[in-house]
Amino acid sequence: MRRGLRLLAPALLALATAVVYLPVLQNGFVAYDDDLYITQEPALRAGIGAESLRWAVTSYSGGNWFPLTRLSWLLDASLFGLDPRAFHATSAALHALASGLLALALTRLTGALGPSLFVAGVYALHPLRVESVAWAASRKDVLAGLFAALSLLAYERAARRGGAVRHACVALWTALGLLAKPVLVTWPFALLLLDAWPLGRLGRDGRLEPARLRAALWEKWPLFALAAAVGVATVAAQRAGGAVRSLAEMPLWVRIANALASGVDTLAQTFWPAGLAVFYPHPGQEVSQAAAALGLVLVVAVTLLAFAWRRTQPWIGVGWLWFLVLWLPTCGIVQVGQAARADRYTLLPHIGLALAVAFTAWSWAGARRPRRLAALAAGAAALAACAGLTQVQLRVWRSSETLFLHALRVTPDNHVAHINLGMVYLREGRIDDASAHLAAALRLVPRSPAASGWLGQVRLAQGREAEAIPLLGVAVRGDPARDDFRLALSAALRARGRPADAAALLRAAPAPSQGRFELQVELASALVDAGDLDGARAALDAAAAAAPGDARIEALREALDERATTGSVPRR
């Protein structure tokens, strides 16, 4: 009966998780990485094939390398097309399965069903999970979580029964998790913590035995090797995408101070999940010194308490160190992008915090039935509250507009939210709304390439080319690889009677862009306007090689023939 319950309870948690996330099926894609990774990705539109599989395994698009995640998107797109419901259903199902497996793994590791269910319930239902599940581009999080849970299940068997095959299974699940998202680079240390408690493999009565520690470390050398290899590949991808901030841009003291301050915010939102946003702007050198000091005090104080209680309440130290170890890769010491922190970064670290809380409460309850009932009731109430808040947060992710309007409500000085709302409104033809948000973004971050480029496109749409040109110039100089800004600047220059400048601008594009269809078509148009017919023909030949049979190529060839015959620039 007890064994059956230990299987049934995790299954029920997985089912409850799936039910809580059902509203995600009403959500669409959002114009924040979903476009970059999914809706505008040609390989996904092409479906499964040799080229798309090569793309999935080798692509550094977006400054990230996560081949297994790209393969999962490719499978979704091949089976269901680019239907957001299918992508969201897959993510929700993966998350529900991971939650059930985590509950099963923790129950086997600790022998305690109640607190293990609570820990897995926090993982499953906390509102901070919504970003990982409801954001199609964040599929990497739920996949990494699934393989982490499978790794825990395998590790419990390997640690207690030994055997090369069991340890190979641990390595396999860990490798798949790393290929889904490299956040698992510190996973071997998390498993080492479990050796201390609940497995008791590193010593007795809270005393660390060096020989046992060396043996535990040695058996994990394949995991460390996997983590190192994926770490190198990840850094290469992020550097190739220009995502890693240099120390000149962001000094080390700023990174450490922000990590401590963000840690305080993360802990606060863990226990009081309010003010969640898709993007939290990095404060840079204006980081709160008081918040950083508070973070340092918390880290030191909790670590000292955990050390003092290591013999009587080892789960506190294990849970706390688990949080720190799995939070470390995303805390911002290696700063990637512009965010101070992110909700999705709490996915695996939360397991440690929940572990410390759950087993402390269970220890307090002991064998006393009233206390156990009180602990169970409190845990159930907390999870019910989490489920309710999660369903509220799911509505925030309903569309790009709802997502970024909410972000501005909870983080008013959020330039990324303003930029993305401006993009959305421009695409919808709401020019005045787009202009207002993009101008607000530039006030917050003057000379931002993204804000300048999109506001330049707004001015171009308004027929204000003279204002568009300097804005688009800032964008192109700040982000030379952005074809859309370069194309818009070319259009603005041509509209102002400067086709030669437009052609020079297009020819100065970085090498990967020069052979792209849109850029070659625009170059041909500029050269026709400038009277360089031979150059225009060469650009059209390059465009035709990239997209044979496109109607615009034939129209431009006709324009070329007319120009050659009449000596005048045809009107188009």
Side-chain angles (χ1 to χ4, degrees):
M1 177 67 179
R2 179 168 295 181
R3 182 178 179 182
L5 182 60
R6 290 188 173 191
L7 293 174
L8 178 62
L12 290 175
L13 175 63
L15 178 61
T17 303
V19 170
V20 168
Y21 277 95
L22 273 177
V24 78
L25 299 182
Q26 302 172 40
N27 293 6
F29 291 121
V30 295
Y32 191 58
D33 284 0
D34 282 355
D35 46 1
L36 171 66
Y37 290 129
I38 299 172
T39 60
Q40 296 178 11
E41 177 50 60
L44 294 186
R45 294 183 178 277
I48 293 177
E51 280 303 306
S52 57
L53 289 173
R54 183 193 61 78
W55 160 82
V57 173
T58 62
S59 176
Y60 280 3
S61 173
N64 282 296
W65 184 70
F66 34 66
L68 198 61
T69 296
R70 288 191 166 94
L71 286 170
S72 78
W73 288 329
L74 182 58
L75 183 60
D76 275 355
S78 299
L79 291 174
F80 310 110
L82 295 180
D83 184 342
R85 293 171 299 178
F87 282 75
H88 293 322
T90 300
S91 292
L94 290 169
H95 182 60
L97 179 59
S99 303
L101 290 172
L102 178 62
L104 181 60
L106 291 175
T107 301
R108 288 182 176 178
L109 281 162
T110 65
L113 176 61
S116 297
L117 275 177
F118 176 79
V119 175
V122 170
Y123 173 91
L125 302 173
H126 197 285
L128 284 168
R129 288 302 83 72
V130 171
E131 181 171 290
S132 294
V133 182
W135 190 8
S138 202
R139 170 73 59 78
K140 51 190 177 291
D141 292 298
V142 293
L143 269 176
L146 173 63
F147 291 119
L150 287 166
S151 175
L152 284 180
L153 272 171
Y155 190 68
E156 185 271 334
R157 287 290 184 261
R160 288 189 166 135
R161 300 183 185 181
V165 173
R166 293 189 180 95
H167 281 288
C169 287
V170 177
L172 172 64
W173 296 128
T174 302
L176 291 174
L178 286 163
L179 293 175
K181 186 176 183 178
V183 72
L184 287 176
V185 288
T186 55
W187 186 247
F189 292 104
L191 297 180
L192 189 66
L193 290 171
L194 297 179
D195 287 336
W197 180 89
L199 293 171
R201 302 176 71 213
L202 302 184
R204 298 178 182 177
D205 301 323
R207 292 186 177 88
L208 184 67
E209 298 180 17
R212 290 192 176 195
L213 175 61
R214 286 194 296 271
L217 285 168
W218 175 249
E219 75 179 9
K220 294 176 182 60
W221 75 262
L223 306 184
F224 286 111
L226 286 168
V230 171
V232 169
T234 300
V235 170
Q238 290 173 341
R239 290 194 184 281
V244 179
R245 307 284 292 276
S246 69
L247 287 172
E249 293 177 280
M250 188 172 290
L252 183 60
W253 75 265
V254 172
R255 300 168 188 237
I256 294 173
N258 177 70
L260 292 168
S262 294
V264 172
D265 292 330
T266 296
L267 289 172
Q269 288 181 327
T270 296
F271 295 98
W272 190 259
L276 308 187
V278 64
F279 181 85
Y280 302 99
H282 199 294
Q285 298 196 17
E286 297 178 6
V287 60
S288 169
Q289 302 299 309
L294 177 59
L296 180 60
V297 170
L298 276 174
V299 169
V300 173
V302 176
T303 303
L304 289 176
L305 286 173
F307 181 78
W309 293 336
R310 68 191 183 281
R311 296 180 183 175
T312 57
Q313 301 183 73
W315 47 84
I316 294 178
V318 168
W320 175 243
L321 291 176
W322 176 292
F323 170 77
L324 293 179
V325 161
L326 289 174
W327 175 66
L328 183 64
T330 57
C331 72
I333 300 298
V334 178
Q335 182 64 37
V336 177
Q338 305 175 61
R341 66 185 194 281
D343 294 355
R344 61 190 179 278
Y345 295 162
T346 66
L347 181 78
L348 294 173
H350 256 181
I351 296 172
L353 293 179
L355 196 77
V357 170
F359 282 88
T360 298
W362 204 241
S363 174
W364 166 81
R368 299 178 185 179
R369 183 176 177 81
R371 286 192 178 188
R372 284 207 167 193
L373 290 175
L376 290 171
L383 292 181
C386 283
L389 291 171
T390 286
Q391 291 212 315
V392 172
Q393 189 67 12
L394 284 170
R395 292 197 289 272
V396 169
W397 284 82
R398 184 65 49 85
S399 68
S400 301
E401 184 177 22
T402 59
L403 181 64
F404 291 110
L405 285 175
H406 174 79
L408 286 175
R409 282 194 290 271
V410 298
T411 54
D413 293 335
N414 192 328
H415 67 287
V416 167
H418 278 300
I419 290 170
N420 282 275
L421 273 172
M423 291 164 48
V424 169
Y425 290 149
L426 176 60
R427 289 165 180 167
E428 293 177 354
R430 297 167 58 178
I431 302 300
D432 291 342
D433 290 334
S435 179
H437 281 288
L438 292 165
L442 272 182
R443 286 194 294 271
L444 291 168
V445 185
R447 302 188 69 78
S448 158
S452 299
W454 285 104
L455 187 57
Q457 295 196 57
V458 168
R459 296 291 178 257
L460 191 58
Q462 293 171 324
R464 296 156 63 177
E465 292 88 357
E467 296 174 49
I469 288 172
L471 288 166
L472 290 165
V474 169
V476 169
R477 288 190 294 274
D479 193 353
R482 286 287 296 264
D483 289 353
D484 53 346
F485 295 157
R486 192 175 294 271
L487 290 167
L489 179 53
S490 172
L493 289 169
R494 289 172 55 213
R496 299 294 292 178
R498 297 166 58 185
D501 290 340
L505 169 77
L506 296 167
R507 283 173 165 158
S513 296
Q514 289 183 4
R516 291 180 186 156
F517 172 77
E518 294 290 346
L519 195 124
Q520 291 298 327
V521 168
E522 177 66 18
L523 177 58
S525 299
L527 291 172
V528 167
D529 291 348
D532 183 355
L533 304 190
D534 291 337
R537 287 192 181 92
L540 281 180
D541 289 341
D550 190 279
R552 284 173 291 179
I553 297 174
E554 296 308 315
L556 279 169
R557 288 197 193 281
E558 291 176 7
L560 270 172
D561 293 340
E562 183 178 345
R563 176 67 185 268
T565 302
T566 65
S568 62
V569 179
R571 290 183 294 177
R572 289 182 296 279

